[in-house]
Amino acid sequence: MREILPTLAGWHAAGIPFGLATVVAVSRSAPRGPGAAMAVGPGDEVVGSVSGGCVEGAVFELAQEVVASGEPRLETFGYSDEDAFAVGLTCGGEITLLVRPVTAASDPAFGAVAASVAAGEPVTVGTVVDGPAPRGATLAVWPGRAAGTLGATGLDVAVTADARGELALGASALRHYGPHGERREDAVTVFLESFAPPPRLLVFGAIDYAAAVARIGDFLGYRVTVCDARPAFATPKRFPAAVEVVVDWPHRYLRGTATDDRTVICVLTHDPKFDVPLLEEALRRPAAYIGAMGSRRTHEERRARLSEAGLTGAELSRLRSPLGLDLGARTPEEVAVSVAAEIVALRWGGSGAPLTTTTGAIHTAAVH
């Protein structure tokens, strides 16, 4: 949804109705997770995807139908083994979609939500999926305000509280309530979709490897900052336009920068005067991933210095060094792929092994 919001916001601002399909639930090996979205707008223009191609044709027709009728639909698509050309997911999974018409009248807060997402401001949208409440009704919830209604005051109050809880976690989920927001009932199903600001990727050491890591980090949706104390190296022209470049001592910059459990820190300086004080700071603060470049000898020397600085065994165990998966990488771009692969594997609980050697579900639940 985040990727297609600029287009949808343009349609909404122009008063053009469109059909929006959103994945609200998945099971087994579904290709896209909750929140994946596809929209059909003017001239049958299609943006986004809900299944990577398996059911898009059927969803296209559903989106057209809901715009024509004004009535939202809830549809589930699963695997079809009777007819290779039947509408179904060839991966064997199942997805449930809410397909609803979006107009300026039915969803007046849509533009404000899109503007907040574009500005990096956190917001959660609650949408009625099923039950006695009006299907497709939306309630947008920011940390300090809300807009819209799900049809009942009590339901709005309960959903607002839960939406702020999900927003703090950056999570999206289905929640169940009574018709007036009763907590122990499940008559009304609401999809809470959180748009938290993008996670941070902090890259220290403005070398060629940093440029490659910054590019792939930007591609993966991180807000990327590259920091180096050397002005000759930390120049914006060496990095993608979306990457922030800072000239400062790495440990001093990190000390003044907020991190959270989604933050990724990559230390590419492999110089003790930079990376030891930097890692001493990094390993004592929240982060999803802390990796450092260097040979195994450099790693052992660095670890000894950090131990002498007073870091505990538990703190040192958080360090991924040498960083990256064993792909046999040589070039900066290949090393960046190796680093990105380790970050993704750690985030989702992947083993890093070739899928041909593993069994069971390909897509696992989130770990971080």
Side-chain angles (χ1 to χ4, degrees), residues 234-249:
T235 59
K237 67 180 181 181
R238 300 182 63 209
F239 298 94
V243 173
E244 177 188 26
V245 180
V246 174
V247 179
D248 200 352
W249 279 82

Side-chain angles (χ1 to χ4, degrees), residues 6 16 36 41 66 71 106 111 126 130 145 153 168 174 190 207-208 212 214-215 240 261 268-269 278 326 335 354 356:
I16 300 172
V66 301
E71 296 295 326
S106 68
D130 205 5
R145 71 186 197 278
T153 300
L174 285 175
V190 177
I207 59 177
D208 288 346
R215 284 195 296 271
D261 290 336
L268 310 182
T269 50
L278 170 59
D326 180 13
V335 169
T356 55

Side-chain angles (χ1 to χ4, degrees), residues 10-38:
W11 293 344
H12 187 269
I16 300 172
F18 56 90
L20 177 62
T22 304
V23 177
V24 296
V26 302
S27 66
R28 298 189 298 278
S29 186
R32 303 292 306 272
M38 169 181 157

Side-chain angles (χ1 to χ4, degrees), residues 2 112-122 197-198:
R2 186 187 296 272
V113 169
S116 290
V117 174
E121 299 171 353

Side-chain angles (χ1 to χ4, degrees), residues 143-164:
R145 71 186 197 278
T149 180
L150 303 182
T153 300
L155 183 59
D156 289 346
V157 170
V159 170
T160 296
D162 288 346
R164 289 184 175 136

Side-chain angles (χ1 to χ4, degrees), residues 97 109 150 236 276 307 324:
L97 303 175
L150 303 182
V276 171
S307 182

Side-chain angles (χ1 to χ4, degrees), residues 36-56:
M38 169 181 157
V40 178
D44 291 337
E45 180 181 354
V46 178
V47 292
S49 171
V50 292
S51 73
C54 300
V55 301
E56 264 68 3

